[in-house]
Amino acid sequence: MKTFHRIVRFVVNLFLLAFAALTLTPMVWLLAATLKSPDDLFSYTFFAPRISTFNFRDLFSTVPFHRYMINSIFVASTMVIVQLFFSSLAGFALAKYDFKGKKPIMILMLSTMMLPSQVLMAPLYELIYRMGLVDSYAGLVVPGAVSVFGIFLFRQSILQVPDELLHAARIDGCSEFRIYWDIVMPVSRPMIGAFCLISFMGTWNSFLWPQIILHKAERFTLPIALNQLVGLYQQQYGTLMAGTFLSVLPVIILFLLLQKEFIAGLTAGAVKG
């Protein structure tokens, strides 16, 4: 029996290793392509016969890449903080308070997740235009300040917090906001880590809305700036690949920092004890 379990474990591990290698192949290919010279870029070889840093040097000399990187970090970090605050606050209210219309509100919120975001682009742009927020970072952050997906995640997580703990805090004189801040949020730490990573990735990779709202080049985020490298009159594919490779690194670093909370947050409630 032990031999059978060992064989099954070996096959599962072999399958996972093959799947991991398959998943990492595009990233390895991207790194290999960035290290090719322009002459070798379209060759059929996976790795370049000679390593060249031309694409990275051309990237930093062609566009202010560091500026776009700072813009993206600022916008993504701001969006994460704003979404985290409002989504967790709304999730707390929906999980721990009873009020009239609670279920219809929840159903209405979840039904909005079925609508493609492109449907709302035109009325949203008109609203942002009337508010005078076009070509500003506020125009990027305000429409996404509250995440319905985040509210749902936090509601499900906060439902696991015992009501007795909150009642005890109220008896001790805690205000409702202090209960949320000092008791609920620390208990929801795994979900906070998972949500921060999901929110950061969504904002970091966002292209369509920033492309519509931002007009001045110095305010561009990375996806828009990289898109400018390949157009009708220029095709800097090697430079684009170098920029794409560097733009992926912050997300990978953030995942490595939050992977423990990310996995714990996604599996929270999966096992009933």
Side-chain angles (χ1 to χ4, degrees), residues 214-226:
L214 299 178
H215 298 162
K216 292 181 180 175
E218 63 265 24
R219 292 185 179 135
F220 283 175
T221 53
L222 272 176
I224 308 175
L226 293 177

Side-chain angles (χ1 to χ4, degrees), residues 1-10:
M1 199 64 181
K2 287 184 179 178
T3 306
F4 175 74
H5 285 304
R6 285 178 183 172
I7 293 174
V8 171
R9 190 180 303 168
F10 175 76

